Structures are given as structure tokens and as C-alpha cells.
Amino acid sequence: GALFNLFVFYEVMLAASYGLVLHGGGPLRVRSGMHYIAVNLGASLIFLIGIAMVFGATGSLNLAEIARRAVELQGFSRTAFHVGLAMLSLAFLIKTGMWPLCHWLVPAYSAAAAPVAAVFAMLSKVGIYSLLRLSLMLPGEGVAFGSVVIFVGGVATLIFACIGLLASQSLSRACAYFILVSSGTLLASFGISVPAGTAGALFYLLSSTLAV
């Protein structure tokens, strides 16, 4: 229920994934693993700055309290709040793998050991959940924050992933692109901001993760 707790658990999860992605060694795995670590550290920095801006605008880190106070924000505080939400969304979209922020995902996931890649199928879905959870903090008539960007990005991710999947010549790369197909479908569904579509997407999230 607290924004900073979300950040802390993200970092605990990522710290474990850094060791897992490098497990087994080898030049390809180390190169793609270091790229994975660098990108996620950058996303974590953006995440932390976004938290600071939201806290500066609302004076709270509790998600329910932030949503309540957001209604009353005016002037610069409202602008800072929107910028903070945008930075949080950017961090989650990087972790989710939305195009064009997804070029780190396929090399890292395809180079990882098979059991590690299986566990990593869940990591991008944590970003999806966080994005959905955070998108409802902005006052509105049920429309998610940045819904147009999320929808367009989701469709672009889906197209990019389908092309990559058809061009894949190894099963490991194909599986990595399947993760992007799943992410693109979920982002496009959430971007529409229709409750029935979101409910269906959550069922798809579970089944697609298990399938990958």
C-alpha cells in the first residue's frame, strides 16, 4: 500500500535477478546480463526520482492517500505530480518491455539458463501490475493515466514482437519474443481503460505467463 515499499520490493526482486541472469557464465550471457543490469539500474533511478516528485507534490507515500490528495492539487504541485507519475510509468514500461524500451529484454532472456528464463517470465508481469495499480491514482472517469500512450505502445510492442517471433531461428529467442507478445497484448488492453477489458486481460496475464 506504500509507494516506497513497492520500490524496495522491486529492488529486492531485481537484486536476485542480477545474480540469476549471470548464472552459468559465458561471454554471451555476461554481455547480455550486464546490459540487463545497467538498464534496470537506470529504470530504478527513474523510479526513485518519480517517487520523490510524487511525495513532494502530495506529502504522502501511501497510495490511497496520494489518490485522495491528488484531487485537491493545484498549480505547480499538480504539474509536479503528473511529471512524477510519468517517470514512474516510464520505469514500469522499461521493466515491462514496451517498444521501443524493450531491446534489452530479448538478449537477456534468451541468453539466460532455461530455469532462470522460466522464472523471468514473471518479472515483466510485475511491471504490468504496477502500471495498472499506479494508473488509477489520477482523478478521472475511470481512464488510466497515459492511456493513449500505453495503448499505442502496446500495439507497437505486439507488432514488433510478432515480427521478431517470425524471424527467430532459435527456440530461446522465440520464447523471449513470446513474453513481449504477452506484454504488448496486456498494455493494449489496459490502455483501452474498459473495466471488462481489464478483467479479461488479468485472466490472460495468468494464462500467458504459465504458457511462456
Side-chain angles (χ1 to χ4, degrees):
L3 197 53
F4 192 76
N5 284 352
L6 181 64
F7 172 78
V8 170
F9 280 109
Y10 248 108
E11 293 311 299
V12 172
M13 179 186 71
L14 288 173
S17 73
Y18 296 155
L20 288 172
V21 75
L22 295 172
H23 177 71
L28 179 61
R29 192 165 291 162
V30 170
R31 182 169 63 250
S32 59
M34 293 304 291
H35 188 197
Y36 167 84
I37 293 171
V39 169
N40 278 280
L41 286 176
S44 295
L45 178 61
I46 295 171
F47 191 175
L48 194 57
I49 295 172
I51 290 175
M53 295 197 71
V54 170
F55 178 72
T58 62
S60 176
L61 290 173
N62 182 277
L63 293 173
E65 186 70 13
I66 291 171
R68 187 183 67 79
R69 295 185 184 183
V71 182
E72 306 165 358
L73 295 178
Q74 299 292 334
F76 179 76
S77 294
R78 188 170 184 81
T79 302
F81 178 65
H82 287 181
V83 172
L85 281 185
M87 296 189 75
L88 292 172
S89 300
L90 177 61
F92 295 143
L93 290 173
I94 291 173
K95 296 174 187 294
T96 300
M98 188 185 84
W99 187 88
L101 308 171
C102 61
H103 295 291
W104 61 271
L105 190 147
V106 173
Y109 281 39
S110 61
V116 173
V119 173
F120 277 16
M122 295 183 290
L123 295 188
S124 60
K125 303 307 182 289
V126 176
I128 291 279
Y129 165 77
S130 301
L131 191 67
L132 180 64
R133 180 71 178 84
L134 211 63
S135 67
L136 302 175
M137 286 176 19
L138 189 72
E141 298 178 358
V143 178
F145 178 75
S147 58
V148 175
V149 175
I150 294 172
F151 173 75
V152 173
V155 173
T157 304
L158 191 55
I159 294 171
F160 171 79
C162 287
I163 294 172
L165 180 60
L166 292 173
S168 295
Q169 296 183 356
S170 70
L171 192 58
S172 59
R173 287 187 68 85
C175 287
Y177 277 113
F178 269 124
I179 293 175
L180 286 182
V181 169
S182 176
S183 292
T185 304
L186 288 165
L187 288 171
S189 300
F190 292 156
I192 297 173
S193 292
V194 176
T198 300
L202 289 173
F203 281 105
Y204 172 77
L205 186 153
L206 294 173
S207 61
S208 66
T209 304
L210 180 62
V212 172

